[in-house]
Amino acid sequence: MGSIGKDGNSEHSTRFRLQDFADYKQRYQESISDVDFFWAQTTRQFLTYEKDFTSIRQGKLAEGNLQWFANGRLNAAYNCVHRHAEQDPSRIAIIYEGDEPDCGHSISYGELSKQIFQAAAALRNLGVRKGDRVCVYMPMIPEAFVTVLAINHLGAIHSLVFDGFSAQALGDRIRDAGAFLVVTADKSRRGGRDIPMKQTVDEALGSCPDVRTVLVYQHGQDSVSWNPGRDVWWHEVIDNTAPLKDIAPESMASEDPLFILYTSGSTGKPKGLVHSTAGFLTGAAATGHHVFDMHPSDVFFTPSDIGWITGLVYALYAPLLLGCTTVIFEGSPLHPTVSRLWDICDLHSVTHFYAAPTVIRLLRRFSDAEIHQAMTSLRVLGSIGEPIAPDVWDWYHRIVGKEKADLLDTYFQTETGSFVLAPLARITPTKPGSCTLPCLGLDPVILDPITGKEVETACPEGILAFRQPWPSMARTAWNDHQRFMDTYLNVYPGYYFTGDGARQDEDGYFWIKGRVDDVVNVSGHRLSTAEIEAALLECEFTAEVAVVGVGDSLTGEALVAFAVLKSQPPDRDVRKDLKQQVLKSIGSLAVPRTVYLVQDIPKTRSGKITRRILRKILADDVGSIGDISTVANPAAIDSVAATVLGSK
Ligand code: PRX
């Protein structure tokens, strides 16, 4: 891969920064009146192409065959790290904070680049080639970043799995992606506790006969079970590998897949969303620059894990693409004290802090007096993943941001790749609870859910959709393009369907109203009620089940399950067994808070569970259920209500 090219990449002199709100409005109009022109300019400003593209966009949104920047060639690891290492090797790329406050360290771009070359050489010796899928199941440690970037370096495809998923869920994802190599650590450490990881991988691999190798980073001291024909230690194969400069970053086509990330939808099985190389990187860099107003001197900190899209894009790709410093944190926000995150902000002069409202709600519960940190370096605060209530917004802005930092409520999805609706730091006047206005080059509309037509009224309300494509949107679901089409592009032909309800106010600001499908959001983690129901049905004694999300002041939403039993097994705590089943099938994050054993579950005549009614019962609001003419078994409403009430 050559040195930094001539197309505007010598520290990106052609990148513009918006001046003010009027500038945004004008540039926005220009950007959507010719999206192809806008994105062609944008990608050239932010990425270094080894070979420039010859076509901006091919294909149509409605046909699900989009290709951006065709015939261009580039490498993600080069763009994230090696090019910065060439220019300014001593600039800090990563600051790692371990679980305990005194066990962190930092890594420069030069050092990170070297580590990526070494890891790429080792992965290649283990058989990894362009296009292979590698599963990464690691704690938030620098080696997880090195692994992802080494996979990029080789042109392979990473599939990250969050360490809160169970062995069974991990196995499902490894098999679906067809990975033959898993990279993991012996353990993770969070909140003063060890979390076994290798052990979970061992269990998962019982159902993954195609996995030949497990590469294990030694993070702790204790011994772990070992399969000598399959397992290899990171320090034996990576640290002993000389930096092989001859393994150049693989030259990738713009549309070559960069990664797969699994996410829950309204049906049972999680989908492996596939993101492209050039398109995805363009979105990450452009939003980091325009929305977060990141500069290379900035220090960005999000406690989000890279197993979720927020951490992957905004802890890893965006800050590194822009040559900033990213702080990664393995531990828990409450350990060893409730002000751990604020200590990190002060210690490292963090300029950007980005977290889900669930973290903010958790920390708000403690006395403001405990927040003695100055946090004067903070310039931008961000919120993501769920609606942020105005009182939480106010606390975050006042106590954490000292009323000086801009607070951005950002909206995006695993599918959109990067922000689509978000205020721009320094620029956009905000309103607590609104994710404000579209990002440059994004063209949102509100659709009528019944007719599928754009709502033309002054303050439209309905389904949030997008009518023009953008480069960072997912291209397909791994091994299942039809499912991708049916979930996102065939619902309202000609539009990308988000699955969220939204309204626009008199200023055109967007207010997200939540999912219109069977997806729930617990502590900012996206879960499918259908997937949890499928897990509960794996219990031999369940006949029928339903899972709904209900409002929760800490976690945003909480899960409640209803189960009809075939028969009551003697001497068994069935509720506990059911929770255990979800723990085993999916992981701790999906375990219902409450399980009700009921006689029947209200359903429509076509057999669909009426979750709306179950939610009303849980809210003690049976009186406002309204029309029940579509319910096939209305008596079930009273019997469920009696069970719920009886348990209070
Ligand atoms: O319902 C929306 C909610 O999170 C969903 C996307 O979840 P996931 O793909 O896991 O990505 C989460 C982090 C990007 C959306 O469909 N969501 C995301 N951001 C917001 C939000 N809800 C309200 N306000 C937001 N800012």
Side-chain angles (χ1 to χ4, degrees):
M1 177 96 14
S3 61
I4 288 180
K6 63 177 174 356
D7 39 0
N9 290 307
S10 43
E11 267 320 304
H12 309 276
S13 48
T14 57
R15 283 179 199 164
F16 68 91
R17 282 197 196 270
L18 292 162
Q19 297 304 310
D20 53 26
F21 196 40
D23 189 21
Y24 158 75
K25 284 194 200 156
Q26 188 192 327
R27 296 265 197 173
Y28 175 70
Q29 281 312 326
E30 287 166 8
S31 75
I32 56 158
S33 65
D34 188 348
V35 286
D36 289 358
F37 177 74
F38 169 77
W39 286 115
Q41 267 195 326
T42 301
T43 195
R44 287 199 178 103
Q45 283 169 24
F46 289 97
L47 303 183
T48 302
Y49 282 85
E50 179 196 351
K51 181 172 163 292
D52 198 9
F53 49 92
T54 54
S55 141
I56 302 172
R57 173 168 59 110
Q58 294 166 7
K60 290 207 168 73
L61 188 58
E63 290 168 16
N65 57 353
L66 288 159
Q67 292 202 17
W68 287 87
F69 317 130
N71 303 317
R73 301 205 75 89
L74 73 169
N75 180 278
Y78 179 77
N79 274 276
C80 288
V81 179
H82 305 321
R83 62 174 175 168
H84 306 309
E86 285 170 7
Q87 288 209 326
D88 189 1
S90 57
R91 193 190 303 166
I92 300 300
I94 294 176
I95 297 173
Y96 163 65
E97 275 284 332
D99 194 39
E100 300 302 330
D102 54 359
C103 63
H105 62 271
S106 56
I107 303 173
S108 67
Y109 273 95
E111 178 58 24
L112 183 59
S113 176
K114 195 175 115 202
Q115 291 188 18
I116 293 165
F117 271 94
Q118 289 177 323
L123 289 177
R124 210 167 89 146
N125 287 341
L126 294 173
V128 177
R129 297 287 182 274
K130 177 176 175 174
D132 289 339
R133 279 80 57 209
V134 179
C135 177
V136 184
Y137 185 72
M138 289 188 92
M140 274 294 272
I141 55 176
E143 288 71 19
F145 280 48
V146 171
T147 302
V148 165
L149 291 156
I151 293 168
N152 291 163
H153 185 103
L154 294 174
I157 302 170
H158 61 75
S159 169
L160 283 150
V161 180
F162 174 62
D163 69 12
F165 284 113
S166 67
Q168 191 175 321
L170 172 63
D172 292 345
R173 286 157 177 76
I174 294 171
R175 271 195 319 282
D176 188 75
F180 64 80
L181 175 76
V182 179
V183 188
T184 190
D186 49 354
K187 60 157 203 176
S188 174
R189 199 164 165 80
R190 206 174 296 145
R193 287 191 317 126
D194 282 348
I195 299 156
M197 296 194 81
K198 166 75 166 58
Q199 191 185 320
T200 308
V201 172
D202 286 344
E203 265 174 61
L205 294 191
S207 67
C208 305
D210 294 337
V211 172
R212 303 198 295 262
T213 310
V214 180
L215 178 58
V216 189
Y217 177 75
Q218 188 172 18
H219 196 35
Q221 307 296 329
D222 303 337
S223 60
V224 284
S225 67
W226 204 251
N227 180 337
R230 186 196 68 188
D231 302 342
V232 284
W233 282 115
W234 174 284
H235 54 268
E236 286 177 3
V237 295
I238 295 195
D239 290 355
N240 295 337
T241 312
L244 297 178
K245 280 283 175 188
D246 54 308
I247 301 188
E250 187 76 32
S251 167
M252 303 299 287
S254 297
E255 275 298 314
D256 278 339
L258 183 66
F259 66 85
I260 303 172
L261 192 57
Y262 285 85
T263 190
S264 298
S266 21
T267 53
K269 206 172 129 245
K271 295 180 275 299
L273 289 163
V274 181
H275 279 279
S276 73
T277 302
F280 171 81
L281 296 176
T282 302
T287 52
H289 177 86
H290 290 302
V291 176
F292 278 134
D293 190 33
M294 284 186 202
H295 295 251
S297 54
D298 283 335
V299 180
F300 190 91
F301 175 30
T302 171
S304 272
D305 190 283
I306 55 170
W308 299 101
I309 194 74
T310 304
L312 187 58
V313 186
Y314 294 104
L316 194 157
Y317 283 107
L320 296 182
L321 282 165
L322 296 171
C324 305
T325 300
T326 181
V327 180
I328 63 178
F329 177 44
E330 187 184 352
S332 138
L334 303 182
H335 183 78
T337 70
V338 299
S339 46
R340 180 72 196 278
L341 297 182
W342 318 135
D343 288 337
I344 294 175
C345 288
D346 265 7
L347 183 65
H348 301 298
S349 301
V350 167
T351 53
H352 293 67
F353 177 77
Y354 186 44
T358 188
V359 174
I360 308 304
R361 287 190 297 263
L362 174 72
L363 296 173
R364 188 180 65 150
R365 295 201 304 184
F366 304 101
S367 154
D368 293 354
E370 291 188 52
I371 305 184
H372 49 79
Q373 288 76 1
M375 292 190 277
T376 44
S377 52
L378 281 176
R379 218 173 68 235
V380 181
L381 299 175
S383 169
I384 179 58
E386 12 156 9
I388 176 160
D391 58 325
V392 180
W393 197 101
D394 177 67
W395 182 87
Y396 195 16
H397 182 240
R398 219 163 24 81
I399 304 296
V400 181
K402 316 287 185 204
E403 292 184 19
K404 285 201 212 90
D406 287 336
L407 200 175
L408 316 178
D409 177 358
T410 59
Y411 169 87
F412 81 118
Q413 307 177 298
T414 309
E415 295 83 344
T416 69
S418 43
F419 300 145
V420 285
L421 305 176
L424 311 180
R426 297 184 292 110
I427 305 279
T428 313
T430 51
K431 300 185 190 188
S434 165
C435 53
T436 74
L437 295 167
C439 296
L440 298 176
L442 270 301
D443 195 4
V445 288
I446 302 282
L447 300 181
D448 180 300
I450 311 288
T451 65
K453 298 234 174 342
E454 291 176 27
V455 182
E456 305 280 359
T457 52
C459 295
E461 183 161 341
I463 304 292
L464 176 66
F466 288 82
R467 73 182 147 198
Q468 298 200 64
W470 65 101
S472 73
M473 65 188 294
R475 296 291 186 272
T476 189
W478 187 255
N479 284 334
D480 203 347
H481 191 60
Q482 192 57 46
R483 185 161 171 218
F484 180 81
M485 294 299 295
D486 293 344
T487 312
Y488 306 109
L489 302 179
N490 291 341
V491 184
Y492 298 105
Y495 297 91
Y496 165 77
F497 167 66
T498 60
D500 281 305
R503 72 180 172 85
Q504 264 184 291
D505 68 14
E506 58 289 355
D507 297 318
Y509 276 41
F510 285 85
W511 300 75
I512 303 296
K513 301 191 65 183
R515 301 289 305 193
V516 295
D517 54 13
D518 300 332
V519 168
V520 281
N521 196 325
V522 180
S523 296
H525 294 149
R526 174 167 159 184
L527 299 165
S528 150
T529 52
E531 192 186 348
I532 302 166
E533 284 164 4
L536 291 168
L537 284 172
E538 281 176 43
C539 268
E540 56 196 312
F541 39 78
T542 44
E544 262 187 74
V545 295
V547 174
V548 295
V550 291
D552 183 276
S553 62
L554 185 61
T555 57
E557 279 185 285
L559 295 160
V560 176
F562 299 87
V564 180
L565 301 185
K566 288 177 191 153
S567 59
Q568 166 74 47
D571 308 326
R572 292 277 284 271
D573 182 347
V574 181
R575 287 192 200 89
K576 201 164 148 212
D577 287 357
L578 288 170
K579 289 185 181 182
Q580 203 58 35
Q581 181 64 46
V582 179
L583 183 69
K584 180 164 166 274
S585 304
I586 307 175
S588 52
L589 69 177
V591 175
R593 182 179 66 184
T594 315
V595 178
Y596 291 108
L597 302 179
V598 294
Q599 300 303 315
D600 200 1
I601 292 173
K603 285 180 290 297
T604 63
R605 285 179 212 291
S606 57
K608 208 169 175 306
I609 295 161
T610 53
R611 293 175 210 280
R612 177 184 67 85
I613 292 177
L614 293 175
R615 278 194 290 264
K616 288 274 184 205
I617 294 171
L618 290 168
D620 209 359
D621 195 14
V622 181
S624 75
I625 285 178
D627 181 20
I628 56 162
S629 59
T630 55
V631 178
N633 51 346
I637 300 175
D638 291 337
S639 88
V640 170
T643 307
V644 171
L645 270 178
S647 72
K648 281 190 176 163

